[in-house]
Amino acid sequence: MAERIWTAGLVIIGDEILSGRTQDKNVSQIALWLNLQGIRLTEVRIVADRTEEIVEAVNTLRARNDYLFTTGGIGPTHDDITVDAIAEALGIGVEIHPKARAVLEGYYATRGGLNEGRLRMARVPAGADLIENRMSGAPGIRIGNVFIMAGVPHITAMMLDALSGTLEGGKPLLSETVGCWVPESEVAELLATTEKRHDGCQIGSYPFFRDGRAGANFVIRSTDAAALAACAADLAATLALVGRDPVPGGI
Amino acid sequence: MAERIWTAGLVIIGDEILSGRTQDKNVSQIALWLNLQGIRLTEVRIVADRTEEIVEAVNTLRARNDYLFTTGGIGPTHDDITVDAIAEALGIGVEIHPKARAVLEGYYATRGGLNEGRLRMARVPAGADLIENRMSGAPGIRIGNVFIMAGVPHITAMMLDALSGTLEGGKPLLSETVGCWVPESEVAELLATTEKRHDGCQIGSYPFFRDGRAGANFVIRSTDAAALAACAADLAATLALVGRDPVPGGI
């Protein structure tokens, strides 16, 4: 029986990523974290701070996946429209979450008190739960299968930490890397035939140029540890057979 | 009369980005380059190495934008399926481009010669033009409004360089940054009202925590240099009025 694969989509909300000003770091940290939960990231969309674009991306990806994550746009300023856009996507209203308000009141008690902007961070789609954030008081939000996270990567990291182990998932996708100082174009056929010999394994080829030499890392992925090890060993042996030194673990 | 805004979409093709193994660098470099051409990046999709997902993303984003860029999946190995997927999206065949073949023959003359894998890199959607790549021989591809670039960032950089100044665009989006050691939540209202006073300007707020202190950079964006300068000056003056020291240029 084919095993159940759990999937997630991710919507990155932020003009600053689309302008090139800010280098995104949430895709890779969320991808790695999801894999540890046994959930596979299947698609990412990076959209502008515009309601209709957020609504479309959220509705498409939440319907296709078990989980949908968003990052960005949950701060106190006028360009933070994520909560309203997601409420619109879900066809529900927005309310002040009493616990979020209490958390923010506590956090800002010694920092000038709550004001209108800060209170915006207690707004959630109606019926939502909070995701703890020990860093800045402002919580993440869970509503159904939608998880609303911060744009600042280390705040999102804390929210992910709070969620660890709470989501249902399947087997993590395992990977093993075999490196080789070879132009990938010399071993393309060998990679394809090796992959075909090992059901349930995919081999990705990631070339690079370093110190004037061509090399590549071949990443084998599988949810089955034994199949993965067999495929990696086979690939290393096959490379050695054609006079190429495999580098276990990658270069 | 409203000015014409030229837009582009971007499809990042690669399991290695979705697995979290590789940190993407193409979004920001392509976004910055597009802006210099007077073209705005409106949406990015990161999809797996699967034909149907590439086809859907390419067809959606090329219909919505003046230009569509892709990165990844144009190498010599079995997991490089971008050319075939884009040909399928466009409803056309795939052919060997004679000039690409000649370029590859020249490049590999002293590197073991052409083989089946290497010849794959001369395959293009029927009728396509090449985009020069001085680095590795394998060219990028242009077909209609679709631009097919490498996954390796420094090869894509060379392809962008070859394209510079060749695409029609409008006015670049200009930006100016004003930083301030202030929690953004204290000045949220001030930011919104300042933005409202300046037509054609947007203010984005990007908070950070550094050395135990809260600060934020406020990025003003406009295609009009005079409007931009006026908005930035107004924001700095308004921050100073409430006793906050603005940091021109950002923190």
Side-chain angles (χ1 to χ4, degrees), chain A residues 44 46 56 64 118 185, chain B residues 23 44 46 56 64 118 185:
Chain A
V44 179
I46 308 176
E56 183 201 313
R64 277 189 199 168
R118 289 166 172 176
S185 56
Chain B
Q23 168 67 54
V44 179
I46 308 176
E56 183 202 312
R64 276 188 200 169
R118 289 167 173 176
S185 56

Side-chain angles (χ1 to χ4, degrees), chain A residues 18 21 23-24 28 31 44-46 56 64 76 78-79 115 118 184-186 188 195 203 205 219, chain B residues 18 21 23-24 28 31 44-46 56 64 76 78-79 115 118 184-186 188 195 203 205-206 219:
Chain A
L18 288 174
R21 178 183 179 276
Q23 167 66 55
D24 168 73
S28 61
V44 179
R45 296 192 182 180
I46 308 176
E56 183 201 313
R64 277 189 199 168
H78 63 284
D79 55 338
N115 60 23
R118 289 166 172 176
E184 60 169 358
S185 56
E186 284 191 12
E195 184 185 88
I203 304 179
S205 174
V219 178
Chain B
L18 288 174
R21 178 183 178 276
Q23 168 67 54
D24 168 74
S28 61
V44 179
R45 296 193 182 179
I46 308 176
E56 183 202 312
R64 276 188 200 169
H78 63 284
D79 55 337
N115 60 23
R118 289 167 173 176
E184 59 169 358
S185 56
E186 283 190 13
E195 183 184 89
I203 304 178
S205 174
Y206 305 108
V219 178

Side-chain angles (χ1 to χ4, degrees), chain A residues 90-227:
Chain A
L90 301 176
I92 57 182
V94 170
E95 63 188 18
I96 298 279
H97 193 292
K99 191 175 164 198
R101 186 190 178 118
V103 168
L104 290 165
E105 274 171 350
Y107 183 82
Y108 286 113
T110 57
R111 294 176 175 89
L114 266 190
N115 60 23
E116 199 182 328
R118 289 166 172 176
L119 192 56
R120 274 177 67 80
M121 296 188 282
R123 297 168 76 250
V124 300
D129 295 317
L130 304 182
I131 303 167
E132 193 190 341
N133 157 28
R134 280 160 299 166
M135 176 81 194
S136 70
I141 300 163
R142 173 181 187 162
I143 172 87
N145 70 340
V146 178
F147 296 78
I148 306 172
M149 321 291 278
V152 178
H154 66 264
I155 297 183
T156 287
M158 296 207 185
M159 294 174 177
L160 292 173
D161 193 47
L163 280 177
S164 289
T166 68
L167 303 189
E168 191 169 0
K171 289 186 186 170
L173 191 61
L174 307 173
S175 72
E176 198 161 320
T177 302
V178 177
C180 196
W181 287 104
V182 61
E184 60 169 358
S185 56
E186 284 191 12
V187 295
E189 177 81 21
L190 178 162
L191 295 173
T193 55
T194 303
E195 184 185 88
K196 281 202 193 98
R197 282 197 296 273
H198 296 272
D199 270 356
C201 294
Q202 291 85 44
I203 304 179
S205 174
Y206 305 108
F208 57 80
F209 299 89
R210 211 178 290 163
D211 308 327
R213 295 168 76 194
N217 282 306
F218 308 119
V219 178
I220 306 120
R221 297 188 183 91
S222 179
T223 55
D224 180 327

Side-chain angles (χ1 to χ4, degrees), chain A residues 1-5 171 223:
Chain A
M1 202 180 75
E3 69 196 65
R4 163 97 153 87
I5 293 173
K171 289 186 186 170
T223 55

Side-chain angles (χ1 to χ4, degrees), chain B residues 32-222:
Chain B
L32 292 168
W33 178 87
L34 282 170
N35 195 44
L36 292 176
Q37 318 303 311
I39 299 163
R40 213 164 297 178
L41 182 61
T42 58
E43 185 175 348
V44 179
R45 296 193 182 179
I46 308 176
V47 300
D49 300 332
R50 291 162 58 99
T51 301
E52 60 269 40
E53 292 169 30
I54 299 169
V55 167
E56 183 202 312
V58 164
N59 276 340
T60 304
L61 294 192
R62 79 186 170 96
R64 276 188 200 169
N65 293 282
D66 296 301
Y67 305 104
L68 184 275
F69 284 71
T70 72
T71 64
I74 62 168
T77 59
H78 63 284
D79 55 337
D80 291 307
I81 61 169
T82 297
V83 166
D84 295 84
I86 289 178
E88 185 172 324
L90 301 176
I92 59 182
V94 170
E95 63 189 18
I96 298 281
H97 193 292
K99 191 175 165 198
R101 187 191 175 115
V103 167
L104 290 166
E105 273 171 351
Y107 183 83
Y108 286 114
T110 57
R111 295 176 174 87
L114 267 190
N115 60 23
E116 197 182 329
R118 289 167 173 176
L119 191 56
R120 274 177 67 81
M121 295 190 283
R123 297 168 76 250
V124 301
D129 296 316
L130 303 183
I131 303 167
E132 194 190 340
N133 158 27
R134 282 160 297 167
M135 176 81 196
S136 69
I141 300 164
R142 174 182 185 161
I143 173 87
N145 69 341
V146 178
F147 296 77
I148 306 172
M149 321 291 278
V152 178
H154 66 265
I155 297 183
T156 287
M158 297 208 183
M159 294 175 177
L160 292 173
D161 193 46
L163 280 178
S164 288
T166 68
L167 303 189
E168 191 169 3
K171 288 186 186 170
L173 190 62
L174 307 173
S175 72
E176 199 162 318
T177 302
V178 176
C180 197
W181 287 104
V182 61
E184 59 169 358
S185 56
E186 283 190 13
V187 295
E189 178 82 19
L190 178 161
L191 295 173
T193 55
T194 303
E195 183 184 89
K196 280 203 191 100
R197 283 197 296 274
H198 297 272
D199 270 354
C201 294
Q202 292 84 44
I203 304 178
S205 174
Y206 305 108
F208 57 82
F209 298 88
R210 212 177 290 161
D211 308 327
R213 296 168 74 196
N217 283 306
F218 309 118
V219 178
I220 306 120
R221 297 188 183 93
S222 179

